[in-house]
Amino acid sequence: MRHTTIVRTGLSALLIIGTWATAGLTQASAADAPSSAAPQASAGLITAMQRDLGLTEDQAVARITAEKAATALEGKARSAAGAAYGGSWFDADSGKLTVAVTDQASARAVRATGARTSLVRHTARQLDAVKSTLDTLSAPSGVSSWHVDPRTSSVVVNVVASKQRDNDVRVFVAKAREAGPVTVKQTAGAPQTFAAGTVGGDPYYTGNVRCSIGFSVHGGFVTAGHCGQAGGAVRGWDGSAIGNFQGSSFPENDYAWVNVGSGWWTVPVVLGWGTVSDQLVRGSNEAPIGASICRSGSTTHWHCGNVLAKNETVNYSQGAVRQMTKTSVCAEPGDSGGSFISGDQAQGVTSGGWGNCSSGGETWHQPVNEILNRYGLTLHTA
């Protein structure tokens, strides 16, 4: 990235950690200040959604507003569904939250909250049990991932298209079907993490690996676990010491956190890389399936897409990682650890995926609330 001012240099290089002049932060806060009539979204974010999601400006604004309302409604609607709850998702066509339920009485209760309903055969608890059984199986490299899909009321197993006829893939799928309702889908590529070898430029380094910072927390920042092990030293864009990995987990999970010292400090900002204005972080409410989401990383900078699935088990060559969120946002090596954000709400840190930002692909992130809870961290918010 080319930095245009000295004030921006430290912040840009570290995504959200670095030197930030008081005047600069004040201007950003004013520009992104909430209003009662419009969602908290910058003009740059609207432009990025137009580019990556094929929306008009009015459609992008309307979608952000609708997604915010759906996120706020999800907990109430789930409570109304009770034991009949089969999952939920945001429907972009209607602009409404849709809740899957297994009986008509629960459907009426959910509709009373303002959500739409879909009658399905299996509850979320039943599908979670099936997925848990799959998590105990040894998965071959031809099986990309698996997750509970409330829209089909089944567990979706994603198989790499070029390996779908491999015997070990067929054996895994057969065992999966024995566990319960399973839908098999094809994917173009196998997942891989997005760490990269050291190159000149932004933003942080550990050993010979370059990764991206996710979100500021009080005392440091969160990022991907595969980027470094506990105790490992972390250097900034300029080679100066930032801190050390205080905790790290990979595989099984893909999260870590780094303490900040040596003159560095934290700010509640996700870098827009000049594509959009830098985004203030105001919370970490989790967006529903179907919602729009954007990612910031040191290699491919700022891109947007949609939430495709939650609680997905991803089968990397290094081992399976569980409870991941899948998106249609592209990414490339070096983007690992970077920020996933929906509106002004932190979502997670980039883990891996397949494809690239020229031809497209899919990317997974580790939900940020899980990282905060695991290490007892507090998100730095505006």
Side-chain angles (χ1 to χ4, degrees), residues 133-134 137-138 169-180 182:
T133 299
L134 270 61
L137 303 178
S138 177
V169 172
R170 291 182 175 184
V171 170
F172 181 90
V173 170
K175 291 181 178 179
R177 293 189 189 280
E178 291 175 0
V182 164

Side-chain angles (χ1 to χ4, degrees), residues 145-149 152 154-158 181-185 312:
S145 61
W146 53 94
H147 68 272
V148 169
D149 180 18
T152 61
S154 67
V155 174
V156 171
V157 175
N158 295 293
V182 164
T183 300
V184 178
K185 293 185 177 181
E312 183 155 58

Side-chain angles (χ1 to χ4, degrees), residues 16 40 45 49 67 214-215 268-271 276-285 287 291-296 302-305 307 327 329 338-350 365 368 379:
I16 56 175
Q40 298 173 6
L45 175 58
M49 292 179 67
E67 288 173 353
F215 294 96
V269 173
V270 171
L271 181 66
V276 302
S277 61
D278 295 346
Q279 303 294 301
L280 291 178
V281 178
R282 291 189 169 92
S284 59
N285 292 328
S292 62
I293 191 168
C294 298
R295 181 193 55 74
S296 180
W302 186 273
H303 288 273
C304 299
V307 178
T327 78
V329 188
S339 322
F340 267 93
I341 188 167
S342 184
D344 57 12
Q345 299 296 305
Q347 298 298 306
V349 301
T350 305
H365 69 74
V368 69
L379 187 68

